Amino acid sequence: MALSCQSVEETIAGILARRPVLGPVLNMFAPLLTARAALPQTLRPLLEETTLRLPEMDRERAAQGFPLLAEQPLTGIAAPLRAAAETILPLLEAQTVTRPHMDGLRRMFAVPQEEDAARERTAALEVLAEGMLNEKTAVLEKAAADAGVPLPVLLFAFGFILGPVLRALVLMRPGGDGKDAPWNADGAWRHGYCPVCGSSPSIAYLDRPVFDEKNAFLAGGGGKKHLHCSLCGTDWVFRRGACPFCEKEGNDVMEILRETKDARGERVDWCTQCRTYCPAVDLRESTGTPDMDVQAIGMLHLDMVAAGKGLHPIHPAFWNTF
């Protein structure tokens, strides 16, 4: 992500110090989150051996709502996916939802000895990755049926494997992991889904004041809103008065839910028009910068409040659907 933030372990420790009741949920996901955070650097050399790269930002396509990887071939992604699966699959076996389906998930990433079958399996992984990024329901349903795995389980497991590969791809692009990312330049990307992979945000954050090291008289007041991608971890700037889901905008569109005491910047931003919500944290009210993937799960208490008010998460997940 664009921020210099705490590790997964540090973020979990900070959340549990305030809300020990979340221990079972956070500890269940901790190994997966830790592995996902570490994998992009491991996978980067494998991606550098391929021809797979992020395309250049096309402002016209961006204005039309096309993420960078929309309709792009992902030739060469199978090997990094298999490398990620070697780390992620053993950790998924500890998850109740995936444990009964591990044989099918392993078959997806195995390399058959017969050459034609191996090529077919490699092509199937590329098609599955492209299908997930382009929301091709028929492709996803076929992959789930071929593996003998329920579609929600396939999406959950494959997301943990595909995400770090896409993150490594972003890291390979100059300026892709910071404020100078092309999707943040001059309002190039104005949509509420990821400019790289098209996935929905899992959490939002408001940034702290930024000071120019070269000129002490120049500073930004902070409070700019960023969305954090649930799949590839990309951060992008978004309008504070607009809904990321329906993209309606105005003074009365977005409302805030927060605890009355000791909120430390944690809140829910919800839309009065479509009644979707996104967890958010105002970093101006907190001391550290959390790992945003962990922080999203660590705001389960606010997910429950939002559900009680009939609101729907912009990114439905196993921990926020009741």
Side-chain angles (χ1 to χ4, degrees):
M1 57 189 291
L3 297 175
S4 175
C5 66
Q6 297 170 342
S7 67
V8 168
E9 295 84 356
E10 289 169 337
T11 305
I12 289 176
I15 293 171
L16 293 185
R18 299 173 59 208
R19 297 189 182 88
V21 70
L22 296 180
V25 175
L26 286 172
N27 290 330
M28 178 176 65
F29 281 101
L32 277 169
L33 293 168
T34 300
R36 185 168 68 175
L39 269 172
Q41 291 296 347
T42 302
L43 299 173
R44 182 170 176 170
L46 285 175
L47 278 167
E48 289 173 342
E49 294 175 2
T50 74
T51 58
L52 188 58
R53 299 291 186 272
L54 281 186
E56 293 298 319
M57 193 81 182
D58 184 322
R59 294 185 71 93
E60 183 175 342
R61 276 178 59 83
Q64 294 171 355
F66 289 99
L68 290 180
L69 291 175
E71 303 174 355
Q72 295 293 319
L74 297 180
T75 305
I77 201 171
L81 284 173
R82 289 190 175 108
E86 288 181 8
T87 297
I88 295 296
L89 287 179
L91 300 175
L92 287 173
E93 196 158 11
Q95 300 291 320
T96 303
V97 69
T98 48
R99 189 181 304 125
H101 309 288
M102 291 308 301
D103 289 344
L105 291 171
R106 289 192 182 97
R107 281 195 301 272
M108 291 178 59
F109 297 95
V111 181
Q113 292 184 348
E114 204 276 321
E115 188 173 338
D116 288 343
R119 280 198 297 267
E120 184 178 332
R121 188 71 58 80
T122 293
L125 282 177
E126 293 175 354
V127 168
L128 175 56
E130 292 169 8
M132 190 160 179
L133 294 188
N134 293 286
E135 298 182 341
K136 295 182 178 180
T137 303
V139 169
L140 300 175
E141 290 177 343
K142 182 181 185 303
D146 290 345
V149 175
L151 181 57
V153 174
L154 172 68
L155 296 178
F156 171 76
F158 194 64
F160 269 97
I161 293 167
L162 176 61
V165 179
L166 299 181
R167 188 66 191 147
L169 198 59
V170 173
L171 292 173
M172 288 167 56
R173 192 195 189 289
D177 192 43
K179 63 181 180 180
D180 297 326
W183 41 86
N184 288 330
D186 301 320
W189 186 257
R190 295 179 57 81
H191 305 285
Y193 48 90
C194 179
V196 174
C197 71
S199 298
S200 56
S202 58
I203 192 170
Y205 65 87
L206 275 61
D207 60 16
R208 295 188 178 92
V210 177
F211 297 93
D212 190 329
E213 296 180 357
K214 297 180 180 179
N215 189 334
F217 296 99
L218 296 179
K224 185 178 291 186
K225 188 172 187 175
H226 303 254
L227 301 178
H228 178 78
C229 179
S230 56
L231 181 61
C232 72
T234 296
D235 296 345
W236 69 101
V237 177
F238 193 69
R239 305 175 306 285
R240 287 181 60 170
C243 171
F245 185 76
C246 69
E247 298 193 356
K248 292 183 179 177
E249 188 171 10
N251 292 333
D252 300 320
V253 171
M254 299 302 295
E255 296 287 347
I256 295 173
L257 284 175
R258 69 169 75 212
E259 292 179 311
T260 55
K261 295 181 180 179
D262 195 30
R264 298 194 188 183
E266 295 178 356
R267 67 195 212 185
V268 161
D269 293 351
W270 67 279
C271 177
T272 61
Q273 308 299 304
C274 67
R275 298 190 67 80
T276 60
Y277 75 88
C278 185
V281 58
D282 190 337
L283 297 180
R284 297 171 299 178
E285 299 180 28
S286 62
T287 54
T289 300
D291 178 286
M292 290 298 166
D293 294 318
V294 177
Q295 184 68 30
I297 302 177
M299 293 173 68
L300 175 60
H301 59 297
L302 291 178
D303 286 305
M304 297 176 70
V305 172
K309 293 184 177 294
L311 305 178
H312 311 285
I314 191 171
H315 172 63
F318 281 108
W319 62 83
N320 65 12
T321 49
F322 308 100

